[in-house]
Amino acid sequence: MRAEIAAIEHLLKTAKLKVKRSQVWEQICAENGVGQVIGREIHFTVTEKQRLREYVQAEHGIDPQFDSRAGGRMAMALQNASEKLSSDSVFGHLIVLATAGTAKVRVNGENFQTPRGSVSSVLPDCLDTDHLQSQKLVIIENGGVMPFWSDLQLPDSWKDSVILYRGHRENVRSVEKIASNQPADKLAWFFDFDPAGLALAHDQGKGSTLVPGKWRELGRHTPFNQPKTHRKQSVALKRLKDRATGELLAIAEHMANEELALMQEHLAQRQMALAALPLGFLPVSPESFIS
């Protein structure tokens, strides 16, 4: 496992989205259901890199993107400094957000909203996080969904929400700090509806996770289902079923039976109604949903 952590750590501390194919990386990809083999390389999406980071965090209690396991904090500071020189990190420290319904964000003392089809990028120090704590906050995993936030069919009690991208570079820690300070009843997470996505939702341990409201009607023959992706996530599914309880466990078992893996983009494009499932120990009953 040490070699796997080191490999993931090295990937996260670079701007690259690919690695050379190796036995270690093939094992990592098999365990987490990520990566696409192209010749002698394995290619990743930004979302998959973030999932690898969170997998190490959940399983080993360290952050492979920022925590240094050797050389001390000074060595880590040098790595971070050089990373910020990479071309795709120019805007990596900005927080990306949008506002749905009547929700507002306050930046430098002024309130504003984002029109449909637009997002805003904000310096962390300029965002009024105290004001944000009075708003409903939905944090989404996939940045590709952000421009289409208005297609999300949020539950009624979440129609007026600030939509926040989780980030994948320097902004990750800013978003984590915001989430840690956000009241649980005003915090929701939106991940892919697959074993890895539900496992990450469970790992948050706070707030609610947004899932298809009619998840029981989804099956292996749902047109946009990706059973191959589901089968790649056997380790994530086991981790979820070992730890989940209540409604989340019921969803995990249904997901396993039907080999479900539905991506955020498809849920948004098809404007599938979402329900908010509180994270925690709940009895198995449809009434446990909050809409």
Side-chain angles (χ1 to χ4, degrees):
M1 180 56 71
R2 183 174 298 178
E4 293 182 4
I5 295 175
I8 294 172
E9 180 181 54
H10 182 266
L11 174 64
L12 292 173
K13 291 176 181 176
T14 70
K16 296 180 180 179
L17 288 173
K18 61 183 180 181
V19 297
K20 289 184 179 180
R21 191 174 178 180
S22 68
Q23 185 175 356
V24 170
W25 271 112
E26 288 179 352
Q27 179 67 23
I28 292 171
C29 294
E31 290 178 351
N32 293 277
V34 300
Q36 180 181 6
V37 175
I38 301 178
R40 297 183 178 179
E41 298 177 333
I42 301 176
H43 292 231
F44 302 93
T45 65
V46 168
T47 298
E48 287 175 335
K49 283 183 68 173
Q50 176 68 5
R51 283 193 172 187
L52 289 173
R53 172 178 177 256
E54 293 180 342
Y55 169 71
V56 175
Q57 283 181 299
E59 290 297 298
H60 304 285
I62 61 173
D63 188 335
Q65 183 162 343
F66 296 106
D67 293 346
S68 177
R69 296 184 299 119
R73 292 192 176 273
M74 291 302 291
M76 189 65 235
L78 289 174
Q79 291 176 343
N80 281 346
S82 62
E83 181 185 16
K84 291 178 182 178
L85 295 177
S86 63
S87 60
D88 69 340
S89 186
V90 175
F91 301 106
H93 60 297
L94 298 176
I95 295 174
V96 181
L97 52 80
T99 57
T102 61
K104 297 180 177 67
V105 291
R106 184 175 296 167
V107 177
N108 289 330
E110 296 186 14
N111 293 341
F112 77 88
Q113 295 175 291
T114 52
R116 182 186 180 96
S118 68
V119 298
S120 293
S121 297
V122 182
L123 286 168
D125 291 342
C126 296
L127 180 65
D128 187 335
T129 54
D130 289 337
H131 178 265
L132 188 61
Q133 291 169 23
S134 68
Q135 308 286 302
K136 289 288 187 72
L137 178 65
V138 175
I139 301 179
I140 70 171
E141 178 189 16
N142 193 334
V145 177
M146 278 302 297
F148 308 98
W149 56 266
S150 59
D151 289 333
L152 296 178
Q153 298 301 299
L154 299 172
D156 289 343
S157 60
W158 292 85
K159 294 292 187 185
D160 305 317
S161 295
V162 176
I163 314 294
L164 182 64
Y165 171 46
R166 301 192 70 207
H168 66 279
R169 295 301 300 270
E170 298 95 323
N171 53 7
V172 167
R173 282 203 160 176
S174 296
V175 174
E176 287 179 342
K177 184 176 180 180
I178 289 172
S180 67
N181 292 327
Q182 188 74 6
D185 64 333
K186 289 183 169 61
L187 176 65
W189 309 85
F190 182 44
F191 297 92
D192 289 334
F193 192 64
D194 61 8
L198 283 186
L200 290 180
H202 180 272
D203 291 340
Q204 306 313 312
K206 177 183 178 182
S208 300
T209 183
L210 300 182
V211 299
K214 296 182 179 180
W215 56 266
R216 287 185 176 86
E217 298 179 9
L218 300 172
R220 65 180 70 245
H221 300 303
T222 297
F224 53 98
N225 184 40
Q226 299 182 24
K228 290 183 179 179
T229 298
H230 174 94
R231 289 192 286 270
K232 289 180 180 179
Q233 298 180 5
S234 58
V235 172
L237 179 61
K238 184 179 185 303
R239 179 160 66 95
L240 175 65
K241 292 177 71 174
D242 286 346
R243 301 176 185 180
T245 59
E247 199 79 32
L248 191 60
L249 178 58
I251 294 175
E253 291 174 341
H254 176 75
M255 184 174 284
N257 292 335
E258 298 295 330
E259 295 189 324
L260 284 176
L262 310 178
M263 303 300 105
Q264 288 177 291
E265 295 91 338
H266 293 292
L267 298 178
Q269 287 176 350
R270 288 164 173 79
Q271 298 187 345
M272 184 166 290
L274 301 174
L277 175 63
L279 297 169
F281 300 94
L282 296 174
V284 181
S285 67
E287 291 75 23
S288 64
F289 277 125
I290 298 177
S291 61

